[in-house]
Amino acid sequence: MTTPLPETATPPPGCPAHRPAAGTPAAAAPPNVTPLYGTSVSEDPHGLYARMREQHGSVAPIELEPGVEAWLVLGYAELLELTRNEQLFSKDSRRWRVPKEGRLKSDSRLLPMTAWRPTLLNMDGADHQRLRGAVAQTLAKIDHRQLRQTTEAAADSLIDSWGPDGTADLITQYARRLPLLVFTQLLGLPAEAGPHLIELISHFVDSSEKSVRANAEFQAILLDLVRRRRAEPGADLTSWLLAHPAGLSDEEAVHHLVVILVAGNETTINWTGNTLRLLLTDRRFRATLTGGRLTVSDALDEVLWRDPPTQNFPGRWATGDTVLGGQYISAGDMLVLGLAGANADPAVHGPGGVGGNRAHLAWGAGRHVCPAQHPARLIVETAVETLIHRLPDLQLAVPGHELSWRPSPWSRALTSLPVLYSAFTPPRTPAPERPTWTPPTVSAPTDSTPSDATSTPRTPDSAKPAPRSWWSSLAGWWSGR
């Protein structure tokens, strides 16, 4: 529960409220403050969050980088309160006390994920509602039937581009490439821009040393797109966003395309990879590859509960001194949404709990809940179903415990997912040329499961598509052909 901080209350020693004065060199993090970076957050996040919960409760003190403190909200109820109370917890990162006190370096890897931008992610109240309405209504123009067909065609082209040796890496050769095949078309970007955008996104989502420069280059590409679509509108998300009655400026449009691409692309990659891992390593889902009772949709939901594609998300900033989850929160403190940790809160599992349904917090909560969850689900579901239809005897090439994760405090993402296969089935339908997107009536995604098909041995010639479609050309570019 959040309560105002009594005037006479003093934060306990060691909590983030006891921070060095402005201009003072940052000391090492106190022993009871957990660094949310390095190998611990990637190798065993579930164990890390459990230990933090045991030591601190539902809100834990963390360090985002040396000398930069914050709070990680691990409680399900506390995270709901955090996301629903704009008066106490704002989305405006300009309230953050760390930069104001001169303690955030100009080249900090946190900047791309925390810097204020004129987007729905960084605003409250009426400003947020205006921008969210523009994005949500633009996304609603996507025809879900056509999106399913487009995603399936892209998936087929990638699978057809693999060699005849029966090996593949489902992260680098599939999950990481597929979304950009779809998103470049949705946004009206040139097909060849996809690979470079993937590289740039990876840098600043992983908070790498190249993140600041990658972020600037990424936005420059999108600014050029916005200016071209402003002059010559097309049947794509960029043009629809610019034409929305909210009247977005070029700057606002660019920043919202960043939101769509980064949040949509990165989440889709991780959700696809984590679902494929679950299908290949968990006996409960293994039968799905041969038509078991548990469906791909069940696997998608379990991943959102246990290994959500975004495990932590910045953030909220306290507008005044308060208490949350028994912790003293000072005005200007940053609070990180611990999506994976809150999903694992023991208070919401077990008899009468919410485990096993879609009450997870993978999409956030409150007014800032993700507006793109339905298209994202459709893309991931289609990607997974298409793969297991085409490669019905798919299996891991290494023991499951040898799989490794990217060292990101934000994303839950595999570095690779090597597999073996010896048989494949043809695509359900021939891969079409790049279709033209038209503003259709909104339709909901339909449930589907892989259709039965007879497997045939893979031969070198079987992977060669007929005429070289747009999908095949881009897939070939990815493969270096």
Side-chain angles (χ1 to χ4, degrees):
M1 179 177 180
T2 302
T3 58
L5 185 65
E7 293 183 3
T8 57
T10 301
C15 86
H18 285 282
R19 53 180 60 80
T24 302
N32 61 340
V33 175
T34 303
L36 200 69
Y37 52 87
T39 57
S40 61
V41 74
S42 58
E43 292 179 355
D44 183 24
H46 304 296
L48 176 67
Y49 303 143
R51 292 190 296 273
M52 294 169 70
R53 191 191 314 277
E54 182 178 358
Q55 183 177 6
H56 300 286
S58 58
V59 179
I62 58 172
E63 197 178 50
L64 294 174
E65 63 183 23
V68 177
E69 74 288 336
W71 299 97
L72 182 64
V73 181
L74 298 165
Y76 188 96
E78 287 76 12
L79 196 145
L80 287 178
E81 184 172 0
L82 177 74
T83 56
R84 292 172 178 173
N85 192 337
E86 283 187 356
Q87 291 186 334
L88 276 175
F89 304 111
S90 171
K91 284 290 291 181
D92 191 338
S93 61
R94 292 172 295 186
R95 296 177 179 270
W96 194 12
R97 65 163 55 234
V98 170
K100 289 182 177 180
E101 295 172 356
R103 296 190 289 114
L104 191 68
K105 297 179 180 178
S106 60
D107 60 349
S108 169
R109 299 180 183 183
L110 298 171
L111 281 171
M113 296 293 287
T114 61
W116 186 87
R117 296 181 178 90
T119 75
L120 75 170
L121 293 179
N122 301 97
M123 294 184 177
D124 305 312
D127 290 333
H128 168 256
Q129 292 177 27
R130 165 183 165 262
L131 295 173
R132 179 182 173 84
V135 171
Q137 291 164 31
T138 295
L139 291 171
K141 288 180 176 289
I142 298 173
D143 184 312
H144 287 182
R145 179 189 59 82
Q146 191 174 18
L147 179 59
R148 183 182 292 278
Q149 293 175 347
T150 301
T151 304
E152 186 172 340
D156 283 330
S157 288
L158 284 173
I159 295 169
D160 287 338
S161 73
W162 298 345
D165 61 353
T167 66
D169 184 336
L170 297 185
I171 300 300
T172 61
Q173 293 179 266
Y174 194 68
R176 186 153 290 280
R177 299 178 181 183
L178 178 61
L180 257 296
L181 289 171
V182 178
F183 286 133
T184 51
Q185 177 180 337
L186 284 174
L187 295 180
L189 281 162
E192 61 273 14
H196 187 47
L197 289 177
I198 278 285
E199 180 183 5
L200 296 176
I201 292 172
S202 296
H203 281 313
F204 61 82
V205 169
D206 279 348
S207 297
S208 77
E209 65 277 2
K210 299 179 181 179
S211 61
V212 175
R213 185 174 62 184
N215 184 53
E217 185 176 352
F218 182 72
Q219 292 190 59
I221 292 173
L222 295 181
L223 178 59
D224 177 68
L225 171 66
V226 165
R227 288 172 174 169
R228 286 189 288 108
R229 284 296 177 263
R230 182 81 75 181
E232 299 181 7
D236 51 63
L237 286 178
T238 304
S239 300
W240 298 339
L241 185 64
L242 292 171
H244 191 273
L248 273 64
S249 66
D250 284 2
E251 181 186 17
E252 288 177 325
V254 166
H255 287 302
H256 282 88
L257 293 182
V258 172
V259 170
I260 292 171
L261 270 174
V262 175
N265 182 73
E266 189 68 18
T267 300
T268 303
I269 291 168
N270 301 343
W271 195 6
T272 301
N274 295 353
T275 301
L276 290 171
R277 169 185 170 272
L278 180 66
L279 292 172
L280 292 168
T281 59
D282 193 316
R283 291 182 179 179
R284 295 171 300 145
F285 291 94
R286 180 64 193 177
T288 299
L289 298 180
T290 55
R293 289 184 301 171
L294 292 175
T295 66
V296 168
S297 183
D298 294 326
L300 293 174
D301 287 329
E302 175 141 341
V303 166
L304 291 179
W305 270 106
R306 179 167 175 78
D307 282 314
T310 302
Q311 58 176 328
N312 301 302
F313 192 80
R316 297 291 193 277
W317 285 268
T319 61
D321 295 347
T322 189
V323 175
L324 179 66
Q327 298 282 16
Y328 292 87
I329 310 297
S330 298
D333 277 359
M334 177 179 176
L335 298 101
V336 175
L337 280 65
L339 304 176
N343 278 350
D345 188 344
V348 298
H349 292 279
V354 297
N357 59 31
R358 294 187 182 179
H360 56 75
L361 299 174
W363 302 111
R367 295 180 179 177
H368 285 268
V369 69
C370 176
Q373 53 186 287
H374 298 304
R377 186 181 189 92
L378 182 56
I379 292 172
V380 175
E381 184 177 53
T382 304
V384 173
E385 289 179 346
T386 301
L387 185 71
I388 62 179
H389 166 78
R390 296 292 308 277
L391 307 175
D393 67 345
L394 200 64
Q395 59 182 308
L396 273 180
V398 299
H401 66 269
E402 292 185 5
L403 297 174
S404 60
W405 302 85
R406 281 164 49 195
S408 171
W410 318 119
S411 297
R412 182 64 172 158
L414 290 163
T415 59
S416 65
L417 189 61
V419 294
L420 303 172
Y421 58 92
S422 61
F424 80 108
T425 61
R428 291 185 179 91
T429 56
E433 294 295 325
R434 183 172 184 170
T436 300
W437 286 83
T438 55
T441 302
V442 181
S443 58
T446 57
D447 293 331
S448 65
T449 55
S451 58
D452 293 330
T454 303
S455 298
T456 56
R458 184 168 190 142
T459 63
D461 290 336
S462 65
K464 296 179 180 178
R468 226 170 136 69
S469 68
W470 178 83
W471 293 121
S472 299
S473 299
L474 185 53
W477 194 96
W478 270 111
S479 303
R481 294 193 313 222

